[in-house]
Amino acid sequence: MLTALKGNIIEALSPNSLGLHPNSFLVLEDGRVAGIYAQLPQAMKEAQVTDFGDALILQSFADMHLHGPQYEFTGTGMDRPLLAWLETYAFPAEARYADPAYARERYRQLSRDLIQNGTTRVSMFSSLHTDATLILMEELEKAGVTGYVGKVNMDRNAPAYLCETTEQSKAETLRWLDACRRFTKIKPILTPRFAPSCTEELLAFLGKVKAERDLPVQSHLSENVGEIALVAELFPDCGQYWQVYDKFGLFDGKTLMAHCVHSDERERAALLERGVRPVHCASSNNALMSGISPAAELLREGQGVCLGSDVAGGTTLSMLATMANSICASKDRGVMKNDPSQALSIEAAYYMATSAGQTFLGAKPGFGAGERLHAVVLDDTHLPMLPGMSLRDRLLRAVYRLDDRHIRAVYSEGVRRI
Amino acid sequence: MLTALKGNIIEALSPNSLGLHPNSFLVLEDGRVAGIYAQLPQAMKEAQVTDFGDALILQSFADMHLHGPQYEFTGTGMDRPLLAWLETYAFPAEARYADPAYARERYRQLSRDLIQNGTTRVSMFSSLHTDATLILMEELEKAGVTGYVGKVNMDRNAPAYLCETTEQSKAETLRWLDACRRFTKIKPILTPRFAPSCTEELLAFLGKVKAERDLPVQSHLSENVGEIALVAELFPDCGQYWQVYDKFGLFDGKTLMAHCVHSDERERAALLERGVRPVHCASSNNALMSGISPAAELLREGQGVCLGSDVAGGTTLSMLATMANSICASKDRGVMKNDPSQALSIEAAYYMATSAGQTFLGAKPGFGAGERLHAVVLDDTHLPMLPGMSLRDRLLRAVYRLDDRHIRAVYSEGVRRI
């Protein structure tokens, strides 16, 4: 069955280049991308066309770092110091997910809001609760959100009401992984919260499970200066933060590391060599005053940087706003260092928000041939079209001026969800 | 006639303190503030109450620096260098306001959008066109926006199609001022675009008009490094940028100076001594990579800093977003300088966005007794109310998470406009 979307198609081909297809046809065969054409080829003439007029057809967004149970308090208490913020908001919020009924309601809302904002791919932290994690995966899959979700592991340095014993953490991880087999679009990702919240025994266990089952991993790395000092204290035999994960086999091409704000030359070389993906979370780095990531530098040295909303350290679930925030932070870094090359381009921001995440999840970049369609249709036609305005100009403006009100359609896995 | 608004009332009393009145009555007598009461006093029992339930009743916003004719291209071309941006977008856009019909349509939209976003007070730059400026003032007044508008003066360093002769600029300024007499809520403010775009003869004329007619003045000061160097070159007898305005009598307590990003100790002392008001425009300073204002320092030394969207160097007309942007920029400055005291509090952001501007415009801060009501009602009741969440927490969250969709009512000059 042939179908097609017609409009102004924009692909994120690399951190430096957009694929611009004004007024073109994105043709699908059974929901999979067949190609992009300025005119419908003769052999595709019978395709059912959905005409989006002058709207923008973009790849939908991949939010590669966020905390599901923190969504409910997004934007709250952002002027507290990190520790007070965790104790007042993050930990009590996560603890409420011991209740499956509560989890069901909140996670249903989160899943809807992701689709509403054009996010169809995620890599998400749940809480440590196995049942709530399974509920989260169910709700995401039902809503059309694909990607990874991880039950969080933490067996130390957490409040008593939100801490597992090492044995519990191991057993619950196995129970969770077994129960995940029923999902087709949402897959498990091992999720040690961050090095300081896991004992060496637990990290060794997770490394073993990863090796045996060939699982991906997500965690935090070099987010703020205090955390780096704590890691050095807790793991005195590891010269650098990344080496903790590496020591236990949790640092390879199937690994996402949120932040990497303060990674030095050696840590960055290790990320690059192993193919570990840094996830840039501009909004939370700003809100929690963690630092400003050298994201443009990381991209230039070839790191596969993804973008994350990092809800609820981040203040918004919208990946449009997250792109704007990443550009904003990079410019602030640029002016403070008197180095304009720190500024992220719209090409870079769009790539990090889409293709970077989708390639981590195993898809081709852009609207890759044969891939199931993930797309968002943004309507900016209420804004003035200025003389000589390019599609690129419109994409940059969209990042600053559009929100979920302007999303006319969302496709995930070839299915229209909005 | 007694009326009252009931809800959670929040006043900006100073850059360090909020007036919090949970579940209270804001009582009005013929649209003027009579007082705020936890319970309706006996003598006011007959007041007609509009009950906004658990919503937030805030002072409406004062946007003390924006360019009316640039609104249409907000968010466009924000990655161009300043000069290219001016030549590609700002100047051609302003030139279109030679056409009164065009101006009417665009300015009507701008006026509506201001009210829609809860902005009831402005100090705005028009273009150099007298007729379009009068149309802007008419449309603002009709929509319920109060404050100042200035016909721009520029007789050099502007493109030929957007430059006046000195004589034209003088004559048109007088014609404009005479025609302004018909307005009651929107008043004229002298507006030399910035020092480099005015000859000494024109600046001297504006100083004379200001003295004779006791008019306020607005312009730009120390926005970026290149501009400061240009001023030094053009006005070799003035030791510092501010001294150009001062030399011509354009630098006193009735003066707004946008930006002041790079004002040094001496310039800041002059601002403070004269009572000149800096207008902080975080979004445009970021977008154009001008620098990051030390806004928190300025407030601490007693400067009466106001907030401006600076559309269209700024990327949004929303003063909620502008508050968020100002906090964001201040945190970036803080992390880069390793000085957390650079971070603006919600108290400071709310004060700059409301009371600072309204006091410049002659009103008392907060909901001052006897003042005509300017208020915006923000509905955050769709967001979870967390255990122990204060009104202050809700105000901070509102800045990050709410937009014009959540504005339930807007009052200007005692009249409900939404």
Side-chain angles (χ1 to χ4, degrees), chain B residues 21-275:
Chain B
H21 312 274
N23 201 20
S24 296
F25 297 83
L26 175 51
V27 180
L28 308 172
E29 198 170 341
D30 298 329
R32 290 175 186 271
V33 176
I36 299 174
Y37 304 94
Q39 303 287 338
L40 270 188
Q42 198 54 43
M44 299 175 168
K45 283 289 182 207
E46 82 283 14
Q48 267 201 310
V49 177
T50 306
D51 190 344
F52 289 107
D54 198 32
L56 307 174
I57 301 176
L58 309 183
Q59 296 165 232
S60 57
F61 306 118
D63 185 348
M64 299 306 279
H65 184 68
L66 75 164
H67 295 264
Q70 296 181 9
Y71 176 55
E72 61 191 64
F73 67 89
T74 304
T76 309
M78 299 319 301
D79 55 352
R80 313 265 173 123
L82 179 60
L83 216 67
W85 179 82
L86 282 168
E87 282 167 9
T88 311
Y89 295 105
F91 290 147
E94 293 198 20
R96 289 193 279 276
Y97 288 78
D99 174 359
Y102 184 86
R104 178 73 65 188
E105 187 195 330
R106 296 292 171 139
Y107 285 150
R108 187 167 292 166
Q109 187 64 48
L110 168 60
S111 303
R112 279 186 198 142
D113 289 356
L114 283 164
I115 291 294
Q116 186 73 32
N117 281 281
T119 300
T120 65
R121 291 176 161 116
V122 295
S123 189
M124 196 185 300
F125 282 48
S126 175
S127 58
L128 52 74
H129 311 97
T130 301
D131 293 334
T133 303
L134 293 167
I135 289 166
L136 172 56
M137 296 170 85
E138 263 173 43
E139 291 298 328
L140 289 169
E141 191 162 277
K142 215 183 296 172
V145 184
T146 68
Y148 291 132
V149 167
K151 172 217 167 324
V152 164
N153 295 99
M154 48 180 172
D155 66 344
R156 64 166 167 171
N157 293 322
Y161 63 83
L162 198 70
C163 196
E164 310 162 299
T165 65
T166 308
E167 284 317 306
Q168 277 171 339
S169 193
K170 290 181 185 180
E172 286 298 297
T173 299
L174 295 177
R175 180 166 84 85
W176 165 61
L177 289 173
D178 288 343
C180 283
R181 293 203 184 107
R182 67 179 188 266
F183 301 114
T184 56
K185 302 295 180 193
I186 282 281
K187 297 289 181 180
I189 183 167
L190 294 176
T191 307
R193 188 178 193 114
F194 72 141
S197 65
C198 298
T199 58
E200 300 219 357
E201 184 185 341
L202 181 55
L203 290 170
F205 167 81
L206 293 172
K208 191 166 145 281
V209 171
K210 172 179 166 52
E212 284 169 5
R213 306 192 183 203
D214 192 27
L215 289 168
V217 178
Q218 63 183 352
S219 197
H220 296 84
L221 181 66
S222 297
E223 177 176 1
N224 72 58
V225 176
E227 168 207 22
I228 295 171
L230 177 63
V231 170
E233 192 184 300
L234 292 171
F235 301 90
D237 63 323
C238 292
Q240 288 202 305
Y241 192 165
W242 67 276
Q243 292 176 294
V244 176
Y245 300 117
D246 190 48
K247 178 179 171 182
F248 299 104
L250 300 165
F251 200 75
D252 64 17
K254 295 183 77 171
T255 306
L256 291 168
M257 282 290 159
H259 305 303
C260 306
V261 171
H262 299 281
S263 298
D264 66 6
E265 205 173 309
R266 193 169 147 223
E267 190 162 276
R268 278 155 64 166
L271 286 163
L272 193 60
E273 191 204 320
R274 304 302 178 83

Side-chain angles (χ1 to χ4, degrees), chain A residues 85-107:
Chain A
W85 178 82
L86 282 168
E87 282 168 9
T88 311
Y89 296 104
F91 290 147
E94 294 199 19
R96 288 193 280 276
Y97 287 77
D99 174 359
Y102 184 85
R104 177 75 63 190
E105 187 195 331
R106 295 294 170 137
Y107 285 150

Side-chain angles (χ1 to χ4, degrees), chain B residues 289-309:
Chain B
M289 292 186 76
S290 306
I292 308 181
S293 164
E297 284 177 27
L298 294 175
L299 287 170
R300 271 196 293 276
E301 69 196 29
Q303 309 272 6
V305 187
C306 304
L307 216 55
S309 68

Side-chain angles (χ1 to χ4, degrees), chain A residues 183-250:
Chain A
F183 301 114
T184 57
K185 302 296 181 193
I186 282 281
K187 298 289 181 182
I189 183 167
L190 295 176
T191 307
R193 188 177 193 116
F194 71 142
S197 66
C198 298
T199 58
E200 300 220 357
E201 184 185 341
L202 182 55
L203 290 170
F205 167 81
L206 293 173
K208 189 166 146 280
V209 171
K210 172 179 167 54
E212 285 168 3
R213 307 192 183 204
D214 192 27
L215 289 167
V217 178
Q218 63 183 352
S219 197
H220 296 83
L221 181 65
S222 296
E223 177 176 1
N224 73 57
V225 176
E227 169 207 20
I228 295 171
L230 177 62
V231 170
E233 192 183 301
L234 292 172
F235 301 90
D237 63 324
C238 293
Q240 287 202 303
Y241 193 164
W242 67 277
Q243 291 177 296
V244 177
Y245 299 117
D246 190 49
K247 177 178 172 183
F248 299 105
L250 299 166

Side-chain angles (χ1 to χ4, degrees), chain A residues 79 286-287 328 331-332 392, chain B residues 79 286-287 328 331-332 392:
Chain A
D79 55 352
N286 177 271
C328 177
K331 287 184 170 185
D332 277 349
R392 180 183 182 280
Chain B
D79 55 352
N286 177 270
C328 179
K331 287 184 170 184
D332 278 348
R392 179 184 184 279

